Amino acid sequence: PLRSPQGTGNAFFRAGYSILSPRFVESLIDDAPYFCMSALTMTVLLHFIDVFGTFVFALSGATVGVRHRFDLFGVFVLAFVTAVGGG
C-alpha cells in the first residue's frame, strides 16, 4: 500500500529543505519500501504491455491489408510481420 511513515518524506518539503539536500535523498531511500512495486507485479505488468503492443501492431498490419484488399492469407501474413517486426 502507498503510505508514508510519519516524519519522513514530505516533511522535508514542509520544513523548507531542498531536493538536493542529503537529508531529502536519505528520506527517499527510507521510504522506498513503501512506494516500490514487487518484482512479480512489475514482471506481470511489463508482460501485459508487451503482449498488448504486439496485438496493436498486428491490428494495424491487418488494417492495412484490408485497405489494400488483400485476401485472408495476405492479411494474416501482414499482421504477423508487423506484430513481430514491431510496426
Side-chain angles (χ1 to χ4, degrees), residues 42-83:
M42 186 61 76
T43 302
V44 170
L45 179 65
L46 289 176
H47 180 70
F48 174 75
I49 291 171
D50 184 38
V51 170
F52 181 74
T54 303
F55 172 75
V56 169
F57 280 126
L59 191 62
S60 71
T63 304
V64 170
V66 169
R67 283 188 191 159
H68 287 294
R69 298 183 181 266
F70 288 177
D71 61 349
L72 187 60
F73 181 74
V75 170
F76 281 140
V77 167
L78 194 58
F80 177 77
V81 168
T82 54

